[in-house]
């Protein structure tokens, strides 16, 4: 049907409709193919009732295999190598249908590919058969060297792909280290800027220490802190001591030895009062230091 050069140096193109592929249990057999065709036809009828059209594909047949491509973009959808194709036949009951069984290279499962061609189903089947015949003759002429060469090329290609993946991983690791160093430099620069912008000699005010009863000790030197408001109201002012001078029941003012002047008592009594005042003040300071 075709010249050997067309199948060995080029390929024979065909257009067909691709019904799909399905897994089969056996690598060959008419009944195996017939069941696969029936299954894919039923699935295609369901998709057609849903409004989906059967996709069109381009087949490129050569002594190296059968390629299934998108007719517009020329993107390879499936690449079925010839030595993995175990069976090929056209449907005698439906002249438009032809199939072939190919072993998947990744899953090692046998898949049956089914196509629909109104005029070329039988011709496509014969072309695949002619490609098998030419490939077998070339194998015998080369003494099997051609197959070994392909295996070596495939092994080298895998090594090249593996090296490319390793090189990509190494580049990503190097880039990751550089990004980490940049982040560390930015953090250090931010700390330095914060140190320079903070006022020199500024001291954070510390809260006063408390005693064992969680109370702030009273200091006679510091002014009395204002009482916080409650419920938005200000507590009543504390009356001064001078305004609250009370008298006893005889009408006399209470005696306060510390509020009296030095000239109100004789010298010996005044010295005793001074000693009492010093002792009282020292006792008070000792109590304050113990509480703090």
């Amino acid at each position: 049907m075709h010249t050997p050069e067309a199948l060995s140096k080029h390929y024979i193109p065909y257009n067909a409709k691709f019904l799909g592929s399905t897994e089969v249990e056996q690598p060959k057999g008419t009944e195996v193919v017939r069941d696969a065709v029936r299954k894919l036809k039923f699935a295609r009828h369901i998709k057609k009732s849903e409004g989906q059209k059967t996709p069109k594909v381009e087949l490129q047949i050569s002594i190296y295999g059968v390629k299934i491509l998108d007719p517009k973009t020329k993107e390879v959808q499936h690449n079925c190598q010839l030595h993995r194709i175990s069976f090929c036949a056209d449907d005698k009951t439906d002249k438009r249908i032809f199939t072939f069984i190919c072993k998947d290279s990744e899953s090692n499962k046998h898949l049956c590919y089914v196509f629909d061609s109104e005029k070329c189903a039988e011709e496509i089947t014969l072309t695949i058969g002619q490609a098998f015949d030419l490939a077998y003759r070339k194998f015998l002429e080369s003494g099997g060297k051609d197959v070994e060469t392909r295996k070596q090329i495939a092994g080298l290609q895998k090594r090249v792909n593996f090296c490319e993946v390793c090189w990509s991983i190494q580049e990503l690791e190097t880039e990751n280290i550089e990004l980490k160093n940049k982040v560390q430099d930015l953090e250090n620069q931010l700390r330095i800027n914060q140190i320079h912008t903070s006022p020199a000699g500024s001291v954070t005010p510390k809260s006063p220490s408390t005693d064992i009863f969680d109370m702030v000790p009273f200091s006679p030197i510091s002014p009395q802190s204002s009482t916080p408001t409650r419920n938005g109201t200000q507590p009543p002012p504390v009356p001064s001591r001078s305004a609250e001078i009370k008298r006893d029941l005889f009408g006399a003012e209470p005696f306060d030895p510390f509020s009296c002047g030095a000239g109100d008592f004789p010298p010996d009594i005044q010295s005793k009062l001074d000693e009492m005042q010093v002792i009282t003040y020292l006792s008070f300071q000792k109590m304050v230091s113990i509480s703090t």
Side-chain angles (χ1 to χ4, degrees):
M1 294 181 60
H2 307 283
T3 61
E5 290 79 9
L7 286 170
S8 60
K9 297 181 180 180
H10 303 284
Y11 57 84
I12 307 299
Y14 289 99
N15 292 323
K17 293 181 179 180
F18 185 34
L19 299 183
S21 62
T22 182
E23 183 182 355
V24 292
E25 295 181 358
Q26 301 295 329
K28 59 183 178 178
T30 305
E31 291 298 328
V32 175
V33 169
R34 190 173 298 167
D35 292 339
V37 171
R38 190 182 301 111
K39 178 180 178 181
L40 291 175
K41 275 186 175 181
F42 179 75
R44 180 52 55 186
H45 280 306
I46 294 177
K47 293 181 179 180
K48 190 175 182 180
S49 64
E50 296 175 353
Q52 299 183 16
K53 295 182 179 180
T54 305
K56 295 180 180 181
V57 295
E58 178 182 337
L59 300 177
Q60 294 181 356
I61 303 173
S62 66
I63 62 172
Y64 302 105
V66 179
K67 289 184 180 181
I68 305 172
L69 300 88
D70 185 281
K72 295 182 180 180
T73 62
K74 301 299 180 181
E75 179 183 0
V76 179
Q77 298 177 357
H78 302 278
N79 187 10
C80 303
Q81 298 177 354
L82 202 66
H83 68 276
R84 292 185 174 273
I85 297 177
S86 57
F87 189 77
C88 180
D90 57 298
D91 193 350
K92 301 304 179 183
T93 60
D94 191 347
K95 297 297 182 180
R96 302 177 306 172
I97 302 299
F98 69 95
T99 65
F100 64 84
I101 299 176
C102 180
K103 188 176 183 181
D104 186 65
S105 59
E106 296 181 358
S107 61
N108 286 330
K109 296 180 180 179
H110 295 283
L111 301 177
C112 182
Y113 294 83
V114 181
F115 302 89
D116 184 351
S117 178
E118 294 183 2
K119 300 179 181 180
C120 303
E122 186 177 0
E123 182 181 343
I124 294 173
T125 305
L126 294 176
T127 302
I128 295 176
Q130 186 180 359
F132 267 105
D133 185 48
L134 290 175
Y136 182 67
R137 290 181 183 180
K138 190 174 182 181
F139 172 75
L140 294 178
E141 291 175 359
S142 62
K145 294 180 180 180
D146 187 49
V147 177
E148 294 296 328
T149 304
R150 287 191 205 170
K151 289 182 179 179
Q152 292 178 4
I153 293 174
L156 290 174
Q157 185 65 34
K158 289 182 180 179
R159 291 181 184 179
V160 170
N161 294 335
F162 178 74
C163 292
E164 289 179 354
V165 171
C166 293
W167 179 255
S168 300
I169 293 174
Q170 186 176 2
E171 286 182 346
L172 290 175
E173 290 179 350
T174 305
E175 185 177 357
N176 190 19
I177 294 173
E178 292 178 356
L179 290 175
K180 286 183 179 179
N181 293 333
K182 289 182 180 179
V183 171
Q184 187 66 34
D185 293 339
L186 290 174
E187 290 179 353
N188 295 335
Q189 186 176 1
L190 182 61
R191 292 194 188 97
I192 294 172
N193 292 336
Q194 289 178 350
I195 293 174
H196 287 314
T197 54
S198 60
S202 60
V203 180
T204 305
K206 297 182 179 179
S207 59
S209 58
T210 57
D211 58 5
I212 57 174
F213 300 102
D214 199 21
M215 297 181 66
V216 179
F218 170 75
S219 176
I221 302 174
S222 62
Q224 185 177 1
S225 60
S226 60
T227 306
T229 60
R230 294 183 180 179
N231 298 328
T233 59
Q234 189 72 20
V238 180
S240 61
R241 294 180 59 89
S242 61
E244 289 185 347
I245 299 177
K246 297 182 180 180
R247 300 177 181 273
D248 57 7
L249 71 126
F250 297 103
E253 296 179 359
F255 174 73
D256 188 358
F258 301 105
S259 62
C260 299
D264 297 338
F265 300 96
D268 55 344
I269 297 176
Q270 185 64 40
S271 61
K272 294 292 185 181
L273 291 175
D274 293 337
E275 291 177 4
M276 291 174 61
Q277 188 174 5
V278 171
I279 293 171
T280 304
Y281 179 76
L282 294 175
S283 300
F284 178 76
Q285 290 293 329
K286 186 176 182 179
M287 290 173 62
V288 170
S289 62
I290 291 174
S291 64
T292 56

